[in-house]
Amino acid sequence: MSDTCKFKIDGKEIIAKKGQTILEAAKENGVFIPTLCNFTGVKPKGSCRICSVKINDRFMTSCTTPVAAGMEVESNTEEISDLRKSIIELLFVSGNHFCPSCEKSGNCELQALGYRYQMMVPRFPYSFDKKNVVATGPKLLKDQDRCIKCQRCMKTIKDDEGKRYYAFKNRGRDLEVVMDEEMSKTITDELAKEAMENCPVGSIIYKGVGFSEPIGTRKYDKQPIGSLIETN
Amino acid sequence: MSKKIIATTSLAGCFGCHMSILDIDERILDLVELVEFNKSPIDDIKVFTKQCDIGIIEGGCCNSENIEVLKYFRENCDILISLGECAIMGGLPAMRNGIPIEECLHEAYLDGPTVKLNTQKILPNDSELPMLLNEVYPCHEIVKIDYFLPGCAPRADLIWDALVALITGNEMDLPYEVVKFD
């Protein structure tokens, strides 16, 4: 029995390994599906919904849905693009994303998705919910204004024993991702930089450096997010 | 084709967006062929002398005067454009949102580390001064805005392309590099 199968995304034939998710197969076949909470090496959980696609007239998250032979997936349609754009807009209005003053600007995945989906203005009113900046640790600060609660830091930044540096605090609308104060005192330089790198927005910032890359040379200044996948 | 009439204003902004308009360089010579300016800091016309086709708004609304000017623009311009992050989402002035006004005034006039000369501990409270709003508002939450051009400041090419498309009635081509939020 063959261990590959074929299915279609927007009419394009995709060859996938059995057991792969739609997102993984799309990526390998040069089709970009946007993601935020998903991170290579971390078990996908489909919480941000931005990778939603339509299969059999139902919305499914492509990061959690395994491929099946013959399935027809809609991804880059007007309806789905608008749904994705509305998720981006909701994230922009529910946090306080002041791009001009953010160190991550130009390297921010949320911002890059805003560019890709041409968000000129969010359709929702801004909440301007005041949140805290926690900057007590020696190497990292956590700006809750920008956090989108994707959990990427929680799942990837761990010490040698596998203990997590970040965790959830509070519940419901007060939910926050916070850093363990004691552990933050001893975090290595390398791991601290990785934490900033893994954060899709500018919520985790490595202290002491800022705006080091000039405008025009940053990750998403010239090329839209996903263009590397599409040219593969 | 008669010239389109443009008005511009800077509300709670830093005039950076106006600088960016000037950043179209020598194309400004082409622009004066296409448009005439009415109320604008560029020509220093203080009041509208006729109905305008396009009103360009820089900055959000942080005080009562901003609201008044914005409504004045809405009445006197057929099309309003929010130019730049401050007009679109409040921008840097909106970073005070969520901090009580009293606290902001105390920081600025009484307790701030650079406050040295206010020995009488005066908070500005003259009736001539516009009242600060509780929050800084994006323009489209106050009046209807027709178009939005993001950026801090918006790239000159974006402003130029948008104005030319609007004036000539053509579709706007948006290259990836020109639409940025910073």
Side-chain angles (χ1 to χ4, degrees), chain A residues 35-81:
Chain A
T35 54
L36 276 172
C37 69
N38 188 63
F39 197 74
T40 313
V42 173
K43 192 180 167 206
K45 61 186 165 27
S47 72
C48 75
R49 319 306 287 180
I50 201 140
C51 69
S52 292
V53 291
K54 219 171 178 182
I55 307 158
N56 270 342
D57 229 25
R58 287 183 62 175
F59 285 112
M60 314 280 276
T61 47
S62 63
C63 69
T64 53
T65 311
V67 295
M71 67 172 22
E72 298 209 359
V73 179
E74 287 175 58
S75 173
N76 201 17
T77 64
E78 208 172 300
E79 182 195 18
I80 298 168
S81 292

Short mmCIF file of all heavy atoms in Angstrom, two decimals, chain A residues 35-81:
data_model
loop_
_atom_site.label_atom_id
_atom_site.label_comp_id
_atom_site.label_asym_id
_atom_site.label_seq_id
_atom_site.Cartn_x
_atom_site.Cartn_y
_atom_site.Cartn_z
N THR A 35 -0.59 30.88 9.52
CA THR A 35 -0.67 30.28 10.86
C THR A 35 -0.22 31.32 11.88
O THR A 35 0.53 32.24 11.55
CB THR A 35 0.28 29.07 10.99
OG1 THR A 35 1.59 29.49 10.61
CG2 THR A 35 -0.15 27.91 10.13
N LEU A 36 -0.66 31.16 13.10
CA LEU A 36 -0.14 31.98 14.19
C LEU A 36 0.22 31.12 15.40
O LEU A 36 1.34 31.14 15.88
CB LEU A 36 -1.14 33.07 14.61
CG LEU A 36 -1.13 34.35 13.77
CD1 LEU A 36 -2.29 35.26 14.14
CD2 LEU A 36 0.18 35.11 13.94
N CYS A 37 -0.76 30.32 15.88
CA CYS A 37 -0.47 29.52 17.08
C CYS A 37 0.36 28.29 16.73
O CYS A 37 1.03 27.73 17.59
CB CYS A 37 -1.75 29.14 17.81
SG CYS A 37 -2.79 27.96 16.96
N ASN A 38 0.33 27.88 15.48
CA ASN A 38 1.06 26.68 15.09
C ASN A 38 2.56 26.94 15.06
O ASN A 38 3.00 28.02 14.65
CB ASN A 38 0.58 26.23 13.72
CG ASN A 38 1.15 24.89 13.33
OD1 ASN A 38 0.90 23.90 13.99
ND2 ASN A 38 1.96 24.88 12.29
N PHE A 39 3.35 25.96 15.50
CA PHE A 39 4.80 26.15 15.52
C PHE A 39 5.47 24.80 15.26
O PHE A 39 5.07 23.79 15.84
CB PHE A 39 5.23 26.71 16.88
CG PHE A 39 6.61 27.31 16.85
CD1 PHE A 39 6.83 28.54 16.24
CD2 PHE A 39 7.68 26.64 17.41
CE1 PHE A 39 8.09 29.10 16.22
CE2 PHE A 39 8.95 27.19 17.38
CZ PHE A 39 9.16 28.42 16.78
N THR A 40 6.47 24.82 14.39
CA THR A 40 7.15 23.58 14.03
C THR A 40 7.68 22.87 15.29
O THR A 40 8.33 23.51 16.12
CB THR A 40 8.33 23.87 13.08
OG1 THR A 40 7.85 24.75 12.08
CG2 THR A 40 8.86 22.61 12.45
N GLY A 41 7.37 21.60 15.42
CA GLY A 41 7.86 20.83 16.56
C GLY A 41 6.90 20.82 17.73
O GLY A 41 7.14 20.13 18.73
N VAL A 42 5.83 21.60 17.63
CA VAL A 42 4.85 21.63 18.72
C VAL A 42 3.55 21.00 18.21
O VAL A 42 3.15 21.26 17.08
CB VAL A 42 4.58 23.08 19.18
CG1 VAL A 42 3.45 23.14 20.18
CG2 VAL A 42 5.85 23.69 19.76
N LYS A 43 2.93 20.20 19.06
CA LYS A 43 1.69 19.54 18.65
C LYS A 43 0.63 20.61 18.34
O LYS A 43 0.31 21.43 19.21
CB LYS A 43 1.19 18.63 19.78
CG LYS A 43 0.09 17.71 19.35
CD LYS A 43 -0.37 16.84 20.50
CE LYS A 43 -1.68 16.17 20.12
NZ LYS A 43 -2.49 15.81 21.27
N PRO A 44 0.08 20.62 17.11
CA PRO A 44 -0.89 21.67 16.77
C PRO A 44 -2.18 21.53 17.56
O PRO A 44 -2.57 20.42 17.94
CB PRO A 44 -1.14 21.45 15.28
CG PRO A 44 -0.75 20.05 15.01
CD PRO A 44 0.30 19.67 16.01
N LYS A 45 -2.82 22.68 17.84
CA LYS A 45 -4.05 22.60 18.62
C LYS A 45 -5.20 23.40 17.98
O LYS A 45 -6.31 23.37 18.47
CB LYS A 45 -3.81 23.06 20.05
CG LYS A 45 -3.32 24.50 20.13
CD LYS A 45 -2.97 24.82 21.58
CE LYS A 45 -2.14 26.07 21.74
NZ LYS A 45 -2.23 27.12 20.76
N GLY A 46 -4.91 24.11 16.89
CA GLY A 46 -5.99 24.78 16.15
C GLY A 46 -6.72 25.82 16.96
O GLY A 46 -7.94 25.92 16.88
N SER A 47 -6.01 26.63 17.74
CA SER A 47 -6.74 27.58 18.59
C SER A 47 -6.90 28.96 17.96
O SER A 47 -7.86 29.64 18.24
CB SER A 47 -6.08 27.70 19.96
OG SER A 47 -4.87 28.41 19.86
N CYS A 48 -5.98 29.37 17.09
CA CYS A 48 -6.11 30.74 16.56
C CYS A 48 -7.05 30.79 15.37
O CYS A 48 -7.55 31.85 15.03
CB CYS A 48 -4.75 31.33 16.19
SG CYS A 48 -4.04 30.69 14.66
N ARG A 49 -7.32 29.68 14.75
CA ARG A 49 -8.28 29.50 13.64
C ARG A 49 -7.87 30.17 12.33
O ARG A 49 -8.64 30.17 11.37
CB ARG A 49 -9.71 30.00 14.01
CG ARG A 49 -10.19 29.69 15.39
CD ARG A 49 -10.13 28.26 15.75
NE ARG A 49 -11.14 27.41 15.12
CZ ARG A 49 -11.23 26.10 15.33
NH1 ARG A 49 -10.38 25.52 16.16
NH2 ARG A 49 -12.13 25.39 14.72
N ILE A 50 -6.67 30.78 12.31
CA ILE A 50 -6.33 31.54 11.11
C ILE A 50 -6.01 30.61 9.94
O ILE A 50 -6.06 31.01 8.78
CB ILE A 50 -5.18 32.54 11.38
CG1 ILE A 50 -5.20 33.64 10.34
CG2 ILE A 50 -3.82 31.87 11.43
CD1 ILE A 50 -4.91 34.97 10.87
N CYS A 51 -5.68 29.34 10.24
CA CYS A 51 -5.38 28.39 9.17
C CYS A 51 -6.63 27.68 8.67
O CYS A 51 -6.54 26.68 7.96
CB CYS A 51 -4.34 27.38 9.64
SG CYS A 51 -4.97 26.26 10.88
N SER A 52 -7.80 28.20 9.06
CA SER A 52 -9.06 27.56 8.66
C SER A 52 -9.17 27.41 7.15
O SER A 52 -8.81 28.32 6.41
CB SER A 52 -10.26 28.37 9.15
OG SER A 52 -10.33 28.31 10.55
N VAL A 53 -9.64 26.24 6.74
CA VAL A 53 -9.95 25.98 5.33
C VAL A 53 -11.36 25.40 5.28
O VAL A 53 -11.94 25.11 6.33
CB VAL A 53 -8.94 24.99 4.70
CG1 VAL A 53 -7.56 25.62 4.57
CG2 VAL A 53 -8.86 23.70 5.50
N LYS A 54 -11.89 25.25 4.09
CA LYS A 54 -13.24 24.71 3.98
C LYS A 54 -13.18 23.35 3.30
O LYS A 54 -12.61 23.22 2.21
CB LYS A 54 -14.12 25.66 3.18
CG LYS A 54 -15.51 25.79 3.71
CD LYS A 54 -16.23 26.91 2.98
CE LYS A 54 -17.66 27.01 3.47
NZ LYS A 54 -18.39 28.05 2.76
N ILE A 55 -13.71 22.34 3.98
CA ILE A 55 -13.77 20.99 3.40
C ILE A 55 -15.22 20.53 3.49
O ILE A 55 -15.81 20.58 4.59
CB ILE A 55 -12.87 20.01 4.18
CG1 ILE A 55 -11.45 20.57 4.31
CG2 ILE A 55 -12.84 18.64 3.50
CD1 ILE A 55 -10.67 19.97 5.44
N ASN A 56 -15.78 20.14 2.37
CA ASN A 56 -17.18 19.71 2.35
C ASN A 56 -18.10 20.74 2.97
O ASN A 56 -18.98 20.41 3.77
CB ASN A 56 -17.35 18.38 3.11
CG ASN A 56 -17.17 17.21 2.18
OD1 ASN A 56 -17.25 17.37 0.95
ND2 ASN A 56 -16.90 16.04 2.74
N ASP A 57 -17.80 22.02 2.66
CA ASP A 57 -18.63 23.11 3.16
C ASP A 57 -18.54 23.33 4.68
O ASP A 57 -19.40 23.97 5.27
CB ASP A 57 -20.10 22.88 2.78
CG ASP A 57 -20.68 24.15 2.16
OD1 ASP A 57 -19.88 24.95 1.63
OD2 ASP A 57 -21.91 24.34 2.24
N ARG A 58 -17.52 22.75 5.29
CA ARG A 58 -17.34 22.98 6.73
C ARG A 58 -15.96 23.58 6.97
O ARG A 58 -14.99 23.19 6.34
CB ARG A 58 -17.45 21.67 7.51
CG ARG A 58 -18.85 21.15 7.61
CD ARG A 58 -18.89 19.91 8.44
NE ARG A 58 -18.45 20.16 9.82
CZ ARG A 58 -18.48 19.23 10.75
NH1 ARG A 58 -18.91 18.02 10.47
NH2 ARG A 58 -18.08 19.51 11.98
N PHE A 59 -15.91 24.52 7.92
CA PHE A 59 -14.61 25.10 8.28
C PHE A 59 -13.84 24.15 9.19
O PHE A 59 -14.39 23.65 10.16
CB PHE A 59 -14.79 26.45 8.98
CG PHE A 59 -15.17 27.55 8.03
CD1 PHE A 59 -16.43 28.13 8.08
CD2 PHE A 59 -14.26 28.01 7.09
CE1 PHE A 59 -16.78 29.15 7.21
CE2 PHE A 59 -14.60 29.03 6.20
CZ PHE A 59 -15.87 29.59 6.26
N MET A 60 -12.60 23.88 8.82
CA MET A 60 -11.73 23.03 9.64
C MET A 60 -10.39 23.75 9.77
O MET A 60 -9.98 24.46 8.86
CB MET A 60 -11.47 21.69 8.94
CG MET A 60 -12.69 21.01 8.36
SD MET A 60 -13.63 20.14 9.58
CE MET A 60 -12.73 18.61 9.66
N THR A 61 -9.69 23.51 10.88
CA THR A 61 -8.35 24.09 10.98
C THR A 61 -7.37 23.14 10.29
O THR A 61 -7.31 21.95 10.61
CB THR A 61 -7.95 24.28 12.45
OG1 THR A 61 -8.24 23.10 13.17
CG2 THR A 61 -8.68 25.45 13.07
N SER A 62 -6.63 23.69 9.34
CA SER A 62 -5.77 22.82 8.53
C SER A 62 -4.58 22.29 9.33
O SER A 62 -3.97 21.29 8.95
CB SER A 62 -5.28 23.57 7.29
OG SER A 62 -4.50 24.67 7.66
N CYS A 63 -4.24 22.92 10.47
CA CYS A 63 -3.10 22.44 11.24
C CYS A 63 -3.44 21.18 12.04
O CYS A 63 -2.54 20.47 12.49
CB CYS A 63 -2.55 23.53 12.17
SG CYS A 63 -3.63 23.97 13.53
N THR A 64 -4.74 20.91 12.23
CA THR A 64 -5.10 19.72 13.01
C THR A 64 -5.80 18.64 12.17
O THR A 64 -6.00 17.54 12.65
CB THR A 64 -6.06 20.10 14.17
OG1 THR A 64 -7.16 20.82 13.61
CG2 THR A 64 -5.37 20.95 15.22
N THR A 65 -6.19 18.99 10.95
CA THR A 65 -6.95 18.03 10.14
C THR A 65 -6.02 17.17 9.29
O THR A 65 -5.26 17.71 8.49
CB THR A 65 -7.95 18.76 9.22
OG1 THR A 65 -8.68 19.70 10.00
CG2 THR A 65 -8.91 17.80 8.55
N PRO A 66 -6.04 15.84 9.48
CA PRO A 66 -5.18 15.00 8.65
C PRO A 66 -5.68 14.91 7.21
O PRO A 66 -6.87 15.08 6.96
CB PRO A 66 -5.27 13.62 9.34
CG PRO A 66 -6.46 13.66 10.20
CD PRO A 66 -6.83 15.09 10.46
N VAL A 67 -4.74 14.68 6.31
CA VAL A 67 -5.13 14.59 4.90
C VAL A 67 -5.89 13.28 4.65
O VAL A 67 -5.72 12.30 5.37
CB VAL A 67 -3.89 14.63 3.96
CG1 VAL A 67 -3.20 15.96 4.06
CG2 VAL A 67 -2.94 13.49 4.27
N ALA A 68 -6.74 13.30 3.64
CA ALA A 68 -7.43 12.09 3.21
C ALA A 68 -7.45 12.10 1.69
O ALA A 68 -7.61 13.17 1.08
CB ALA A 68 -8.84 12.06 3.77
N ALA A 69 -7.28 10.95 1.10
CA ALA A 69 -7.22 10.87 -0.36
C ALA A 69 -8.51 11.42 -0.96
O ALA A 69 -9.61 11.12 -0.50
CB ALA A 69 -7.02 9.42 -0.78
N GLY A 70 -8.32 12.26 -1.99
CA GLY A 70 -9.47 12.75 -2.75
C GLY A 70 -10.19 13.93 -2.15
O GLY A 70 -11.13 14.45 -2.75
N MET A 71 -9.79 14.40 -0.96
CA MET A 71 -10.52 15.52 -0.36
C MET A 71 -10.28 16.79 -1.17
O MET A 71 -9.22 16.98 -1.76
CB MET A 71 -10.16 15.72 1.12
CG MET A 71 -8.77 16.18 1.37
SD MET A 71 -8.33 16.67 3.08
CE MET A 71 -9.44 15.96 4.17
N GLU A 72 -11.31 17.63 -1.23
CA GLU A 72 -11.16 18.91 -1.93
C GLU A 72 -11.24 20.03 -0.93
O GLU A 72 -12.25 20.20 -0.25
CB GLU A 72 -12.24 19.03 -3.01
CG GLU A 72 -12.10 17.92 -4.03
CD GLU A 72 -12.59 18.29 -5.42
OE1 GLU A 72 -13.07 19.42 -5.59
OE2 GLU A 72 -12.48 17.43 -6.31
N VAL A 73 -10.12 20.75 -0.83
CA VAL A 73 -9.98 21.79 0.18
C VAL A 73 -10.05 23.15 -0.47
O VAL A 73 -9.42 23.40 -1.48
CB VAL A 73 -8.63 21.62 0.92
CG1 VAL A 73 -8.44 22.70 1.97
CG2 VAL A 73 -8.52 20.24 1.53
N GLU A 74 -10.85 24.05 0.12
CA GLU A 74 -10.86 25.45 -0.32
C GLU A 74 -10.01 26.24 0.65
O GLU A 74 -10.18 26.10 1.87
CB GLU A 74 -12.27 26.03 -0.28
CG GLU A 74 -13.20 25.54 -1.36
CD GLU A 74 -14.60 26.10 -1.11
OE1 GLU A 74 -14.75 27.34 -1.05
OE2 GLU A 74 -15.52 25.30 -0.96
N SER A 75 -9.09 27.05 0.14
CA SER A 75 -8.26 27.84 1.05
C SER A 75 -8.19 29.31 0.68
O SER A 75 -8.49 30.18 1.47
CB SER A 75 -6.85 27.26 1.11
OG SER A 75 -6.01 28.09 1.86
N ASN A 76 -7.82 29.56 -0.58
CA ASN A 76 -7.57 30.95 -0.95
C ASN A 76 -8.78 31.58 -1.65
O ASN A 76 -8.65 32.24 -2.66
CB ASN A 76 -6.33 31.01 -1.86
CG ASN A 76 -5.70 32.38 -1.86
OD1 ASN A 76 -5.99 33.20 -0.99
ND2 ASN A 76 -4.88 32.64 -2.86
N THR A 77 -9.95 31.37 -1.06
CA THR A 77 -11.15 31.95 -1.66
C THR A 77 -11.44 33.29 -1.00
O THR A 77 -10.89 33.60 0.06
CB THR A 77 -12.37 31.04 -1.47
OG1 THR A 77 -12.62 30.93 -0.06
CG2 THR A 77 -12.12 29.65 -2.03
N GLU A 78 -12.33 34.05 -1.62
CA GLU A 78 -12.67 35.37 -1.07
C GLU A 78 -13.25 35.23 0.34
O GLU A 78 -12.90 35.97 1.25
CB GLU A 78 -13.69 36.03 -2.00
CG GLU A 78 -13.62 37.54 -1.97
CD GLU A 78 -14.51 38.14 -3.05
OE1 GLU A 78 -14.28 37.87 -4.24
OE2 GLU A 78 -15.43 38.87 -2.67
N GLU A 79 -14.12 34.24 0.50
CA GLU A 79 -14.79 34.05 1.79
C GLU A 79 -13.78 33.73 2.89
O GLU A 79 -13.79 34.33 3.97
CB GLU A 79 -15.81 32.90 1.67
CG GLU A 79 -16.59 32.66 2.95
CD GLU A 79 -17.33 31.32 2.94
OE1 GLU A 79 -16.97 30.44 2.12
OE2 GLU A 79 -18.23 31.16 3.77
N ILE A 80 -12.87 32.80 2.61
CA ILE A 80 -11.91 32.37 3.63
C ILE A 80 -10.88 33.47 3.90
O ILE A 80 -10.50 33.71 5.05
CB ILE A 80 -11.24 31.03 3.23
CG1 ILE A 80 -12.31 29.95 3.14
CG2 ILE A 80 -10.17 30.63 4.23
CD1 ILE A 80 -11.85 28.67 2.48
N SER A 81 -10.46 34.16 2.84
CA SER A 81 -9.52 35.27 3.04
C SER A 81 -10.14 36.33 3.94
O SER A 81 -9.47 36.89 4.81
CB SER A 81 -9.14 35.92 1.71
OG SER A 81 -8.39 35.01 0.96
#
